[in-house]
């Protein structure tokens, strides 16, 4: 049965090790440090690339009304065992047909499987709560870690979008990855 599209999420989302929640003013320093980290933003065409830009970006997110019914969720990621931002993610509702995910973690936590936990939680939220038919992600063509993560999470390459974005005179080529509700349901 196809779930009804309601455009609400029951936050926070939980994974075995993570809590995924709305961003808060107390996250400002950690959020700014995350986005200013070159390892983090190296493969991201969009989003802040320095502390000042990240603080402005967070202020914009915090200023947006937190309605129950939304089209986009910009969320913070923290460890259940210790409060404090270690990552961020987003889920954007494009239509009842599809939603898009994005995610990043502090490099101190790479290689620990937290990325796959995060992506699996976003997929579950998109399919079971938003009721979309498919979930997609755009990933810069040389972003090996994220490509491996998406494939481990069950997303498959769908297309390469050349010159997807131009930021500061640099063109970005990205892969489009996706997973359908049926594929996700049959993932063991
Ligand atoms: C994308 C990103 C979250 C991936 O992080 P990651 O650490 O590679 O992914 P995971 O957390 O799933 O960890 C996987 C690794 O942990 C290992 N691992 C350790 N414990 C594990 C566990 N309990 N479960 C699963 N994997 C585990 C895996 O073997 C794998 O190792 P490998 O890197 O040697 O192959 C991270 O690189 C990032 O934040 N990048 C910057 C932002 C970005 O590019 N975002 C994506 C935009 S499309």
């Amino acid at each position: 049965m196809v779930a009804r599209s309601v455009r609400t999420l029951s936050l926070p989302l939980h994974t075995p090790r993570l809590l995924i929640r709305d961003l808060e003013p107390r996250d400002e320093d950690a959020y700014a440090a995350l986005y200013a980290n070159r390892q983090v933003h190296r493969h991201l065409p969009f989003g802040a690339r320095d502390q000042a830009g990240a603080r402005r970006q967070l202020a914009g997110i915090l200023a947006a009304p937190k309605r129950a019914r939304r089209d986009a969720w910009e969320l913070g990621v923290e460890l259940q065992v210790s409060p404090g931002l270690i990552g961020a993610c987003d889920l954007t509702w494009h239509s009842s047909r599809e939603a898009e995910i994005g995610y990043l973690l502090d490099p101190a936590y790479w290689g620990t499987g937290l990325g796959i936990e995060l992506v699996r939680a976003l997929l579950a939220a998109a399919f079971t709560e938003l009721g979309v038919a498919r979930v997609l992600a755009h990933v810069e063509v040389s972003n090996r870690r994220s490509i491996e993560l998406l494939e481990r999470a069950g997303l498959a390459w769908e297309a390469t979008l050349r010159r997807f974005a131009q930021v500061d005179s640099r063109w970005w080529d990205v892969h489009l990855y996706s997973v359908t509700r049926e594929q996700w349901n049959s993932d063991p």
Side-chain angles (χ1 to χ4, degrees), residues 48-174:
R49 316 186 79 72
D50 58 30
Q51 297 238 1
R55 287 177 202 278
R56 282 195 300 276
Q57 183 168 284
L58 179 62
I61 293 168
L62 295 176
K66 295 285 171 292
R67 297 192 186 92
R69 192 176 152 89
R70 293 190 229 171
D71 289 344
W73 290 261
E74 305 265 7
L75 302 170
V77 177
E78 64 185 14
L79 290 170
Q80 297 208 22
V81 292
S82 60
L85 217 61
I86 64 151
C89 62
D90 56 85
L91 184 53
T92 307
W93 190 92
H94 288 314
S95 69
S96 56
R97 196 171 62 85
E98 66 184 22
E100 178 166 357
I101 57 170
Y103 44 84
L104 56 89
L105 286 177
D106 179 336
Y109 297 91
W110 293 5
T112 62
L114 288 173
I116 188 90
E117 272 188 43
L118 174 55
V119 167
R120 285 188 176 135
L122 294 175
L123 294 178
F127 286 122
T128 63
E129 298 203 48
L130 302 184
V132 294
R134 70 180 205 134
V135 174
L136 64 92
H138 291 103
V139 56
E140 194 261 331
V141 291
S142 65
N143 192 348
R144 179 191 60 80
R145 293 196 86 98
S146 187
I147 290 170
E148 287 173 6
L149 169 52
L150 289 169
E151 292 179 350
R152 273 199 307 276
L155 285 87
W157 176 87
E158 192 169 311
T160 299
L161 310 174
R162 289 178 293 165
R163 297 203 159 193
F164 176 73
Q166 187 184 28
V167 184
D168 299 334
S169 78
R170 174 186 162 182
W171 281 102
W172 294 73
D173 294 349
V174 300

Side-chain angles (χ1 to χ4, degrees), residues 1-43:
M1 191 178 77
V2 175
R4 194 165 54 92
S5 218
V6 289
R7 287 165 56 193
T8 62
L9 284 187
S10 338
L11 295 175
L13 306 175
H14 295 268
T15 76
R17 289 177 288 175
L18 298 173
L19 190 71
I20 304 164
R21 55 160 175 83
D22 271 320
L23 289 158
E24 296 172 9
R26 68 183 163 97
D27 296 321
E28 184 177 346
D29 289 344
Y31 187 87
L34 268 177
Y35 272 92
N37 186 309
R38 193 174 142 63
Q39 274 184 288
V40 170
H41 68 234
R42 190 163 127 218
H43 298 289

